[in-house]
Amino acid sequence: MKSLKKKLESSFSDIKINITDDSRITVNIKKDAVVSILNFLKNLGYEHLALISCIDWIEENEFELVYILSAYMEKDQEYNEKEKKTILVKTRISREESKFITVINIFENAEPYERELHELFGINFEGHPRLTPLFLERDYKIPPFRKDFDTRKYVKDVFDKIPSIEERKK
Amino acid sequence: MDRNQLKKWFESPAKMGHKYSLHVVYFCTGCGIIEIPPSITARWDAERFGVIPVATPRQANLFLITGYVSVKTLKAVIRTYEQMPEPKFTVGFGSCPINGGMYWDSYNTIKHLDKYIPIDGWIAGCMPRPEAIFIAVTHLWTLIDKEMADGYKKYKENYRYYRANQEQLYGKLDWPPLFSEEDKK
C-alpha cells in the first residue's frame, strides 16, 4: 500500500493520496493527468475499471469524476488475494463546460458508463463514438441527476397534469 | 368439483372457464417479480387456483403488473396489454403502480397506472406476500362472476381517452391506434 503511494507520488506531481483503509486508496489529481495516471495504473496491473461515477458539487460549481479501479491478477508485487485493493482516481471538472476526454482507448468497458453520465449528468465525453440515449425515454431540459433538477416540480408538471380517464371524459 | 357450483357451470360455462384458467403473462416489472417464482412453484403452487404463467401475451388473459413502471416500461406494458386476447384482466401488484409508492417524486416512474391502461384490481403492500396474490385471484373470481371485471370493455369504449393520455406522456407513439374512430361507427 505504502510503496504504491510512493510510486505514484514520485511519478506524478500535484497529486494528493489518501489511504482510507486497508483496501482502499483515494487519489486526487488534476484533470490533465487523468489519462496518464490511468495508463500508469493499468500497466501496474489494475486492469479492471469497475465504474465511473460522478458527484455534483453545485456550490463549488464543479463535477467530480471518480474512476474505480481494481486488479484481476497478481502483476503488482504487493498484490495478494487477502488484501484486494481498490483505487479511486478522483478529478474535478468545471460544471459549466461539463466536458471531459473519453478513456475508451484505455478501458474499453468505459463506453456504457460514459454514455450513462452523458445522459444523467450531461457531461460531454470528447472522442466517444456514440453518445446516444441509454435509459431515458423523454427529453429533459436539465439532466435529471444534476442537483438543480427539481424532481417534485417535474412530477407536478408532467405526471400530475395527465388527467384520469373520468376527468378526461368531461 | 364443488356441487354447489354446478348450476353456474350449466348457466354460463364460458364464464366459469375463464374463472378457472387464468394464464398470467410472464412480464417482469420492478421488484415484485421476485414474489412470482415462489408463488408459481411448489411452495405456494398457484396452479391450485388455475393460475399458470405462459410465455407470450397472445396466450394470456391475466396481466400482473409486479411493481414500479418506468416511463420506458410503460410502452412495453401498453403493447403487451393490447396484444392479449379478450377477455383479459389486469391486477396492479404492490403500492408503486397505485400512486408511485416510494417513487412518488421520481422523475422517471409512472405514478397512476390506471391513467394509461385499465386495472381491474390492486394488491397494496410493499411487497405483498404470495398469499395476497391468491386473495386477489379469489376476489377476481367474484368480480368475473358479477361481470365487474370489465376493464377490457372500458378500454375499448374509452380508447380515445387512454390513447390521449398515452400521447400526452410520450408526445408521439410509434404504433398506430388500436381502434380507429371509423371502427366505432
Side-chain angles (χ1 to χ4, degrees):
Chain A
M1 211 59 147
K2 275 177 187 160
S3 69
L4 181 71
K5 186 180 172 181
K6 267 178 203 160
K7 230 184 259 175
L8 282 171
E9 271 169 349
S10 61
S11 350
F12 293 92
S13 60
D14 214 350
I15 188 170
K16 239 192 275 169
I17 298 176
N18 272 328
I19 299 180
T20 27
D21 58 44
D22 289 347
S23 61
R24 192 169 289 227
I25 297 186
T26 316
V27 181
N28 288 291
I29 198 162
K30 285 269 159 60
K31 62 177 178 180
D32 318 322
V34 167
V35 172
S36 54
I37 197 172
L38 288 180
N39 261 323
F40 183 83
L41 286 169
K42 194 183 178 185
N43 291 334
L44 276 184
Y46 295 89
E47 288 175 322
H48 175 54
L49 176 70
L51 187 68
I52 306 175
S53 166
C54 181
I55 306 157
D56 185 358
W57 297 102
I58 190 164
E59 281 134 29
E60 292 150 47
N61 210 13
E62 272 174 338
F63 283 127
E64 186 169 41
L65 289 174
V66 187
Y67 294 81
I68 301 169
L69 301 177
S70 61
Y72 289 119
M73 302 290 285
E74 211 171 316
K75 253 188 210 170
D76 187 8
Q77 287 163 348
E78 267 192 276
Y79 185 84
N80 70 48
E81 197 49 46
K82 273 180 194 165
E83 39 180 272
K84 274 195 172 174
K85 271 172 287 182
T86 311
I87 302 184
L88 291 90
V89 179
K90 292 187 176 180
T91 186
R92 297 272 183 127
I93 59 170
S94 146
R95 201 164 175 282
E96 265 131 37
E97 271 191 335
S98 70
K99 65 177 184 187
F100 198 59
I101 197 160
T102 178
V103 294
I104 294 179
N105 39 18
I106 308 168
F107 298 103
E108 243 174 84
N109 66 330
E111 200 239 350
Y113 304 141
E114 289 181 352
R115 249 174 104 186
E116 185 188 359
L117 290 184
H118 170 72
E119 185 168 53
L120 299 175
F121 285 94
I123 300 169
N124 218 348
F125 286 94
E126 283 170 353
H128 193 288
R130 44 172 193 157
L131 285 174
T132 47
L134 185 61
F135 305 123
L136 302 181
E137 192 77 7
R138 298 174 52 85
D139 289 333
Y140 296 84
K141 272 180 195 163
I142 303 170
F145 273 27
R146 288 196 181 190
K147 282 274 193 300
D148 50 356
F149 180 84
D150 191 349
T151 48
R152 274 177 211 181
K153 191 171 163 288
Y154 184 79
V155 167
K156 268 179 199 161
D157 287 351
V158 176
F159 296 108
D160 292 354
K161 282 229 174 111
I162 294 177
S164 67
I165 299 301
E166 283 73 34
E167 281 168 29
R168 203 177 261 280
K169 271 186 203 169
K170 284 170 194 168
Chain B
M1 192 198 295
D2 191 355
R3 287 201 170 190
N4 299 329
Q5 293 201 357
L6 267 181
K7 200 180 155 218
K8 281 187 195 167
W9 275 100
F10 282 117
E11 272 172 11
S12 51
K15 206 197 280 175
M16 295 304 275
H18 294 149
K19 253 172 82 171
Y20 295 121
S21 68
L22 292 170
H23 289 228
V24 189
V25 55
Y26 236 133
F27 187 95
C28 319
T29 68
C31 36
I33 196 66
I34 205 73
E35 300 290 336
I36 301 300
S39 341
I40 61 174
T41 49
R43 180 71 176 85
W44 273 282
D45 192 12
E47 224 175 320
R48 293 176 292 159
F49 296 84
V51 176
I52 202 168
V54 289
T56 76
R58 299 268 185 216
Q59 302 157 349
N61 63 351
L62 177 62
F63 197 175
L64 266 180
I65 292 156
T66 53
Y68 63 82
V69 180
S70 72
V71 175
K72 206 170 200 169
T73 317
L74 181 65
K75 256 187 190 174
V77 168
I78 295 166
R79 298 204 78 162
T80 310
Y81 181 73
E82 288 180 353
Q83 281 180 50
M84 284 160 62
E86 289 174 0
K88 51 191 171 187
F89 314 106
T90 41
V91 174
F93 182 84
S95 50
C96 296
I98 301 176
N99 61 358
M102 63 184 280
Y103 300 101
W104 64 279
D105 66 345
S106 161
Y107 61 96
N108 204 26
T109 309
I110 299 298
K111 306 297 178 276
H112 301 272
L113 189 62
D114 51 348
K115 287 178 181 174
Y116 311 96
I117 59 167
I119 306 285
D120 291 311
W122 304 100
I123 310 172
C126 182
M127 291 307 305
R129 300 262 312 156
E131 288 93 330
I133 299 177
F134 304 134
I135 294 172
V137 167
T138 47
H139 278 299
L140 192 61
W141 287 350
T142 16
L143 288 181
I144 294 171
D145 254 349
K146 294 176 182 166
E147 297 195 351
M148 280 161 74
D150 54 353
Y152 62 97
K153 287 179 194 159
K154 277 183 196 157
Y155 192 64
K156 247 182 185 171
E157 281 165 23
N158 304 326
Y159 184 69
R160 282 191 292 148
Y161 309 115
Y162 282 109
R163 176 85 182 181
N165 270 359
Q166 292 159 10
E167 275 175 355
Q168 189 175 336
L169 184 69
Y170 287 113
K172 198 166 172 272
L173 289 173
D174 38 353
W175 64 90
L178 198 59
F179 317 103
S180 62
E181 290 298 311
E182 289 165 11
D183 286 350
K184 277 184 188 166
K185 293 164 193 170

